[in-house]
């Protein structure tokens, strides 16, 4: 009897968490709770920076439905042990536990800069379409360049893999999910924002990076994505320095 109550309580807990990531849709929450709905793709990567005698591992969780980076976990050590010992194709939960263990070791290196650099590169490069399509070939070529830039080294080896999961599983593993703050709908009678009104951003690495990018821009144009056939290049095909034209309808 106690076992049945425990199972019911665990199921209810999973559904309660899942409801937060399915806009309160009970049917979707039940699917997520039972493992039959995935809204996150985990980009797993191990690397070694040979000329600096460092190696590391990262887990980047992309919410492919609402298109935001839910979390990034990185670990770097002052030897090549991570690259030589960790198997990239193991399940992400196993990797997460290994990373927690590495963080307690004496050879741990502060990876905060790498974590922020990786987040910024993902946003700048706009890897969401390729993560959604699970374009492993592109990601395996693009991410090593991000690591090279972060560590200032061209002597980098990297291996990437992808795995599907869902937001509920992240929470159950104790991972803090960075949910973007929802923007409030403007009042119909209000056509202009008050001069003193300041747009708030979530107090998270994603929000801070977005604020940093906007602070360096000459103009910040509010907009939204419209999924419709258009002419032009895919964003992934635009090269640095190339002049492009963007239509901004009134």
């Amino acid at each position: 009897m106690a076992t049945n109550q425990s199972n019911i309580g665990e199921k209810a807990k999973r559904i309660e968490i899942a409801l937060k990531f399915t806009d309160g849709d009970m049917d979707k929450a039940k699917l997520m709770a039972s493992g039959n709905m995935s809204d996150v793709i985990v980009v797993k990567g191990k690397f070694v920076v040979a000329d600096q005698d460092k190696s590391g591992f990262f887990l980047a969780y992309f919410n492919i439905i609402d298109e935001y980076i839910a979390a990034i976990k990185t670990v770097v050590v002052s030897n090549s042990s991570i690259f030589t010992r960790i198997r990239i194709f193991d399940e992400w939960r196993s990797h997460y536990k290994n990373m927690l263990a590495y963080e307690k070791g004496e050879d741990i290196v502060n990876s905060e800069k790498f974590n922020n650099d990786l987040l910024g590169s993902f946003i700048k490069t706009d890897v969401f379409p390729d993560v959604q399509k699970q374009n492993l070939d592109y990601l395996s070529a693009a991410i090593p360049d991000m690591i090279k830039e972060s560590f200032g080294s061209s002597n980098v080896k990297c291996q990437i893999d992808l795995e599907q999961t869902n937001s509920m599983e992240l929470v159950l593993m104790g991972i803090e999910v960075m949910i973007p703050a929802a923007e409030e709908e403007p009042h119909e009678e209000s056509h202009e924002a008050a001069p003193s009104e300041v747009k708030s951003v979530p107090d998270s690495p994603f929000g801070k990076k977005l604020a940093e990018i906007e602070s360096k821009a000459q103009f910040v144009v509010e907009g939204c994505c419209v999924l419709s056939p258009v002419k032009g290049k895919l964003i992934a095909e635009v090269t640095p320095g190339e002049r492009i034209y963007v239509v901004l309808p009134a």
Side-chain angles (χ1 to χ4, degrees):
M1 185 68 177
T3 302
N4 290 337
Q5 290 179 343
S6 176
N7 291 338
I8 293 173
E10 179 64 23
K11 183 177 180 180
K13 177 183 177 182
R14 294 171 69 89
I15 292 176
E16 181 182 2
I17 296 172
L19 281 169
K20 298 177 182 178
F21 299 98
T22 56
D23 292 328
D25 188 314
M26 180 58 75
D27 291 334
K28 290 182 179 179
K30 289 180 178 179
L31 288 173
M32 182 177 288
S34 61
N36 293 316
M37 176 181 173
S38 299
D39 65 341
V40 171
I41 289 182
V42 189
V43 180
K44 306 179 291 185
K46 69 173 183 177
F47 63 91
V48 60
V49 186
D51 57 351
Q52 297 180 18
D53 196 23
K54 294 178 182 178
S55 64
F57 200 94
F58 68 85
L59 294 171
Y61 304 89
F62 288 80
N63 188 304
I64 57 173
I65 294 180
D66 295 321
E67 294 193 347
Y68 64 87
I69 300 174
I72 293 182
K73 178 73 173 176
T74 60
V75 65
V76 179
V77 296
S78 57
N79 52 56
S80 61
S81 61
I82 288 181
F83 190 76
T84 56
R85 295 176 184 174
I86 290 185
R87 297 177 300 182
I88 190 68
F89 301 111
D90 286 350
E91 190 193 31
W92 72 265
R93 294 177 186 82
S94 175
H95 288 312
Y96 184 78
K97 293 176 182 177
N98 287 335
M99 294 171 77
L100 294 179
Y102 269 107
E103 287 179 341
K104 299 177 182 178
E106 296 180 356
D107 54 357
I108 189 70
V109 176
N110 190 323
S111 64
E112 182 177 358
K113 177 183 180 299
F114 173 57
N115 200 96
N116 292 334
D117 288 347
L118 198 59
L119 174 62
S121 295
F122 284 152
I123 297 172
K124 180 181 178 181
T125 311
D126 188 19
V127 297
F128 278 101
D130 294 284
V131 173
Q132 288 174 318
K133 292 183 292 186
Q134 300 190 51
N135 187 351
L136 188 58
D137 289 339
Y138 171 78
L139 296 172
S140 295
I143 293 178
D145 288 339
M146 300 176 189
I147 298 173
K148 291 176 182 178
E149 182 178 355
S150 179
F151 284 89
S153 171
S154 60
N155 196 353
V156 170
K157 291 183 180 180
C158 180
Q159 190 175 6
I160 306 295
D161 189 38
L162 304 174
E163 183 180 344
Q164 292 188 2
T165 187
N166 62 57
S167 299
M168 179 202 67
E169 296 293 351
L170 271 62
V171 174
L172 291 175
M173 281 295 292
I175 298 172
E176 183 179 355
V177 177
M178 302 185 296
I179 303 177
E183 294 186 5
E184 296 183 359
E185 291 291 332
H187 297 293
E188 292 184 3
E189 65 274 15
S190 176
H191 298 287
E192 294 185 3
S196 59
E197 190 174 299
V198 179
K199 180 183 176 183
S200 62
V201 294
D203 186 17
S204 66
F206 178 84
K208 292 176 181 177
K209 191 64 183 180
L210 183 61
E212 178 187 345
I213 293 173
E214 290 186 349
S215 68
K216 297 177 181 179
Q218 185 175 2
F219 299 102
V220 177
V221 180
E222 296 291 341
C224 63
C225 293
V226 178
L227 301 179
S228 61
V230 295
K231 293 182 179 180
K233 281 190 174 183
L234 294 173
I235 188 66
E237 297 176 355
V238 178
T239 58
E242 184 175 357
R243 185 184 297 273
I244 63 173
Y245 294 92
V246 180
V247 177
L248 299 176

